[in-house]
């Protein structure tokens, strides 16, 4: 397999005051192969949203590279990226379909907009209807406005809008978070069918680790701007290498069965503003921390084939 997307030592630092920098994304490297679904997890403030904006070229990086099929697209200014031939190849499904759809546009207009903007308007009606068919949206719903659609139908419009341009990579930002549980299952099944049928790759951002376990081949765990663990989903859920990953998995609600003993995370997250490069980002909350963690920040190392963790004791 060849990498559809690769990030190499990607950074995004935001200025704070005159001299300080907030390290939202710090030296993040990973790749997404053709046809692969990769989950991106971590608590609020860990850098997931900033990383998504860098990958989709809505935001310019402070350093590092973003490669699409081996070609560096990270140097292209975000304001000019829409005019490049790469824009149709990387598309996004937003978290809340209700907020991401223009209330004055019909479902047809919402799906047609990116097709019009990128100069593919020939046979527009046919393209919109085909995209709607792929996501299971009946043609009779296309003239309706968002307030006339259910949550599941609006989610389908958002997905249809993203796949209308036949992308190679679909970035899904909490695509089921605003939906009822029964509707979530339907949308997840749809996404799995689209991935198989269209051969797309997914970067799947979610707080729901049960969803990530079901739909993702590999998982990236972020904490305070850094990747702390990366590996096959099944192996990471069965045998997490980093204490933070273990804490996330232990926090998954259990239905029945006997709960296992949980490692409590004390303290507060460290400040992302000018962090000391010598100190582990998880220091102060880690139940395993020792003095070495304050003096030497751990780097990602391979525990097993394809499974990496940034911990001295993994």
């Amino acid at each position: 397999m060849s990498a559809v997307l690769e990030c190499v030592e990607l950074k995004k630092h935001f200025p704070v005051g005159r001299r300080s920098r907030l390290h939202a994304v710090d030296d993040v490297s990973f790749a997404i192969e053709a046809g692969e679904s990769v989950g991106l997890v971590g608590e609020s403030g860990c850098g997931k949203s900033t990383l998504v904006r860098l990958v989709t070229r809505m935001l310019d990086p402070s350093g590092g590279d973003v490669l699409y099929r081996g070609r560096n697209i990270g140097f292209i200014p975000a304001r000019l990226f829409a005019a490049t031939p790469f824009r149709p190849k990387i598309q996004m499904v937003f978290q809340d379909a209700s907020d991401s759809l223009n209330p004055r546009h019909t479902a047809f207009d919402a799906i047609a907009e990116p097709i019009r903007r990128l100069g593919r308007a020939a046979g527009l009606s046919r393209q919109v209807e085909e995209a709607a068919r792929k996501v299971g949206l009946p043609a009779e719903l296309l003239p309706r406005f968002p307030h006339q659609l259910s949550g599941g139908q609006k989610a389908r419009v958002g997905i249809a809008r993203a796949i209308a341009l036949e992308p190679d990579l679909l970035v899904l930002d909490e695509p089921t978070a605003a939906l009822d549980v029964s509707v979530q299952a339907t949308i997840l099944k749809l996404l799995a069918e689209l991935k198989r049928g269209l051969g797309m790759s997914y970067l799947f951002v979610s707080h729901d680790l049960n969803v990530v376990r079901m739909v993702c081949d590999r998982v990236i765990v972020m904490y305070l701007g850094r990747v702390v663990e990366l590996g096959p989903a099944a192996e990471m859920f069965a045998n997490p290498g980093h204490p933070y990953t273990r804490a996330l998995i232990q926090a998954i609600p259990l239905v029945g069965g006997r709960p296992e003993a949980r490692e409590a995370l004390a303290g507060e997250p460290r400040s992302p503003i000018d962090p000391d490069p010598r100190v582990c980002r998880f220091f102060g909350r880690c139940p395993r921390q020792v003095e070495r963690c304050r003096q030497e920040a751990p780097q990602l190392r391979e525990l097993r084939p394809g499974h990496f963790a940034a911990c001295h004791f993994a």
Side-chain angles (χ1 to χ4, degrees):
M1 291 190 295
S2 60
V4 171
L5 181 91
E6 185 176 2
C7 295
V8 182
E9 298 180 354
L10 197 58
K11 303 179 183 70
K12 184 58 185 180
H13 300 165
F14 294 99
V16 178
R18 293 184 177 180
R19 298 183 179 180
S20 297
R21 293 289 184 271
L22 188 152
H23 292 225
V25 173
D26 234 357
D27 288 318
V28 168
S29 299
F30 66 92
I32 301 176
E33 306 293 340
E36 185 181 34
S37 180
V38 176
L40 179 61
V41 303
E43 62 192 39
S44 296
C46 72
K48 299 191 304 296
S49 296
T50 302
L51 180 58
V52 163
R53 292 174 68 194
L54 292 170
V55 166
T56 54
R57 302 302 299 113
M58 298 180 188
L59 191 64
D60 292 324
S62 303
D65 298 317
V66 180
L67 286 78
Y68 167 75
R69 295 197 179 278
R71 300 180 65 179
N72 191 357
I73 60 173
F75 72 93
I76 304 172
R79 59 187 176 83
L80 301 177
F81 189 71
T84 70
F86 303 109
R87 174 75 285 166
K89 299 301 181 181
I90 303 174
Q91 291 293 302
M92 185 166 178
V93 175
F94 295 92
Q95 181 171 350
D96 190 337
S98 298
D99 289 340
S100 65
L101 296 177
N102 190 325
R104 297 184 179 184
H105 287 184
T106 64
F108 181 97
D109 294 332
I111 299 170
E113 182 179 11
I115 301 173
R116 288 195 187 103
R117 283 180 175 270
L118 294 174
R120 299 184 178 183
L124 181 64
S125 295
R126 178 189 55 78
Q127 293 183 70
V128 171
E129 290 168 2
E130 177 63 14
R133 183 193 63 78
K134 288 177 180 176
V135 302
L137 187 70
E140 55 267 26
L141 297 183
L142 291 176
R144 295 191 183 183
F145 291 91
H147 72 274
Q148 298 172 312
L149 301 172
S150 69
Q153 290 166 347
K154 284 184 278 192
R156 290 175 190 271
V157 172
I159 297 169
R161 177 174 60 183
I163 69 168
L165 296 171
E166 301 177 341
D168 289 335
L169 175 67
L170 200 58
V171 179
L172 301 123
D173 185 10
E174 299 271 7
T176 61
L179 302 175
D180 295 335
V181 174
S182 59
V183 181
Q184 285 185 18
T186 303
I187 296 301
L188 290 174
K189 182 180 178 182
L190 168 65
L191 289 171
E193 292 171 351
L194 288 172
K195 178 173 168 286
R196 287 194 300 268
L198 303 179
M200 293 183 294
S201 302
Y202 287 167
L203 177 59
F204 196 101
V205 184
S206 182
H207 284 94
D208 191 332
L209 268 69
N210 276 324
V211 170
V212 170
R213 174 158 41 188
M214 286 189 295
V215 303
C216 296
D217 304 307
R218 289 190 300 134
V219 182
I220 300 167
V221 182
M222 286 190 71
Y223 185 82
L224 276 184
R226 283 187 177 270
V227 173
V228 296
E229 191 158 2
L230 165 66
E235 183 174 324
M236 280 183 57
F237 278 95
N239 190 21
H242 197 280
Y244 178 63
T245 308
R246 184 175 295 106
L248 289 178
I249 293 171
Q250 290 176 347
I252 299 174
L254 296 175
V255 179
R258 186 176 179 180
E260 61 176 299
R262 298 184 176 184
E263 293 182 352
L265 297 183
E268 296 292 329
R270 302 177 66 81
S271 173
I273 299 175
D274 296 333
D276 189 334
R278 299 169 298 177
V279 183
C280 174
R281 295 287 170 97
F282 199 42
F283 188 82
R285 296 183 77 190
C286 181
R288 298 183 179 182
Q289 66 189 30
V290 295
E291 186 60 27
R292 180 187 177 189
C293 305
R294 193 204 301 267
Q295 300 173 353
E296 179 189 346
Q299 303 300 312
L300 280 173
R301 61 186 179 89
E302 193 167 25
L303 310 180
R304 286 169 290 280
H307 187 179
F308 300 81
C311 178
H312 294 307
F313 309 106

